[in-house]
Each structure stands twice: as structure tokens, then as C-alpha cells.
Amino acid sequence: MKRLKAFFAKRGAVPAACYILALAVWLVLSAAHAGSDALAKAQGRMTEQVIPVENWQLVGLEPTDAQPGETTLTTTNGDPQMILEDVAGQVVRTLSYTVTFDGDAREMCLYYTTKVGEDYSQDRRVFPQNLGDGHYLYTLPRTSIAALRLDPCSPDENKTVVLTFAPAALTLNAVDTLPSWWQYLVPSWYQAFCLILYPALCAAAVSLIRSFFAKKEPKKL
């Protein structure tokens, strides 16, 4: 106890302790996520699944003639959607596909729900990483996923966009898109920001509380 008091009496001890605690929590959470995904893979709940375009519910999109191995869709309104209604029995971490646009795609995003029957919300959406040559990758948060809604483009309502998927399928959990064990330890930009900000705020709060109680203590004669 004396050593602990001596440590916290040193200048900078409180911020150091807060950052050490935050790092320890991050390592524990990362190990838990890695273990959870490893278990899901072993149980067959997190495997690569190739889902043809025709298996998605199409809204605001009309199929047109295409070359073998391709699927061509034409937008019919300003909010085209591709919906996969039930993935609740699976662990979904990524969605990837290859598409080319004959027109201005503008915003692309993937919505997800965490409960069956839940409405789609802008609070639960991710944007793609453009890998080049028409390859797009969406990385979903580590939470339970009940349904997916892909908005492959957001065209002007007065214009149409032609989308060509080649191959004519979208892939869940493509093997080359899933993280290696060490990648679970690497925070995203937002997570890194939180790991810097919150321990500092915690240290400031602890320092204020300590100074407040120090002023309350009666002076020794």
C-alpha cells in the first residue's frame, strides 16, 4: 500500500496509470474478439459464402441482359437497394464484390441491423474501402448481424445508373478479407483516438477529485 501511495504521489503517475489500464482493457477485448471469431470459424458460423445477385431482394433495380458470368442492374429510382433479409445464424464480418458503373454512383453504403425486424438506421451503416479495379470491401463491426441492406449507389432521381457485377455474386467473409490474429490488436483511427482521449479525460477527472478532497482535509497543527 505504501509503494502504491508513493507511486501515485509522483508527478504524472495518474495519467500513466490511466493509459496502462486502457491498454490492458484493449488487449483483453482484442483477445476476446479474436477468440470469439476463432470459435465461430470452428463451428462453421463464419465461413466464406458466395451469394448470387438474384438471391438478394432488389428494390429500385431492374435486371437486364448481361454476358455469361455477369449480372447487370439498372436503377429505377434515386434509392436503389439490395437486401439480404436473414443472416442471423451467421457471423458476418465482411462483404466484398466487384462492380462497374455506367453513370455516377455517388454515395455507396451498407446498412445492417442487430435484431430481426429492426429498422435500418444511419447509425448502423458502413462505407466501402475501394480496393481498385471495381473491387469494394465493407468491414462490419464486431456485433451480431441480423440483416443487410446494400445501397450500391445513390444516383440522381432523373438519371439512371447501370451496374455490372462480375462475377455475378457478392461474397460474405471472403477468406482474404478476414483479419489475421495480430490485426485484432490494431485499433482503427476512431479507436486510437478514443484510446488517447478517454484515459486523458479520466486522469484529469481523478486529479480534480484528488485536489478537491485534499483541500477538504484539515491542516495538521
Side-chain angles (χ1 to χ4, degrees):
M1 184 61 70
K2 290 182 178 180
R3 290 183 179 180
L4 193 61
K5 288 183 178 180
F7 171 78
F8 281 106
K10 296 179 181 179
R11 185 179 181 86
V14 172
C18 289
Y19 278 105
I20 290 171
L21 179 60
L23 179 60
V25 171
W26 172 255
L27 292 176
V28 170
L29 290 176
S30 298
H33 288 312
S36 176
D37 283 357
L39 180 61
K41 289 179 183 178
Q43 294 175 338
R45 295 184 296 110
M46 187 176 164
T47 57
E48 181 176 295
Q49 298 180 60
V50 178
I51 304 179
V53 172
E54 56 265 25
N55 286 16
W56 294 70
Q57 179 184 337
L58 303 179
V59 178
L61 292 163
E62 283 290 337
T64 56
D65 293 336
Q67 298 294 324
E70 298 181 350
T71 294
T72 299
L73 305 174
T74 302
T75 61
T76 59
N77 60 34
D79 187 22
Q81 302 171 6
M82 301 172 63
I83 301 170
L84 202 59
E85 290 187 338
D86 185 10
V87 293
Q90 309 164 54
V91 175
V92 182
R93 290 289 176 259
T94 64
L95 169 69
S96 54
Y97 57 87
T98 301
V99 66
T100 56
F101 300 96
D102 180 9
D104 186 8
R106 301 207 300 183
E107 183 177 272
M108 307 162 61
C109 59
L110 176 67
Y111 291 87
Y112 63 92
T113 64
T114 57
K115 298 176 182 177
V116 176
E118 185 178 49
D119 292 333
Y120 293 101
S121 166
Q122 291 190 356
D123 295 330
R124 294 189 177 92
R125 65 175 173 172
V126 293
F127 293 93
Q129 179 184 359
N130 188 345
L131 303 179
D133 297 325
H135 301 296
Y136 294 92
L137 171 65
Y138 297 81
T139 301
L140 290 152
R142 296 186 178 100
T143 185
S144 60
I145 306 293
L148 296 172
R149 193 192 91 189
L150 174 65
D151 289 15
C153 60
S154 299
D156 188 308
E157 289 190 9
N158 299 319
K159 298 180 181 179
T160 60
V161 175
V162 179
L163 304 82
T164 301
F165 289 87
L170 297 86
T171 305
L172 302 181
N173 297 329
V175 173
D176 59 350
T177 65
L178 295 177
S180 301
W181 66 269
W182 59 269
Q183 290 176 300
Y184 288 91
L185 301 173
V186 181
S188 65
W189 289 110
Y190 176 73
Q191 291 167 335
F193 173 76
C194 291
L195 285 171
I196 294 171
L197 176 64
Y198 290 129
L201 293 176
C202 181
V206 171
S207 297
L208 285 174
I209 293 171
R210 289 180 65 189
S211 63
F212 174 78
F213 282 104
K215 291 178 181 179
K216 291 289 185 178
E217 290 181 358
K219 295 182 179 180
K220 294 182 179 179
L221 298 176

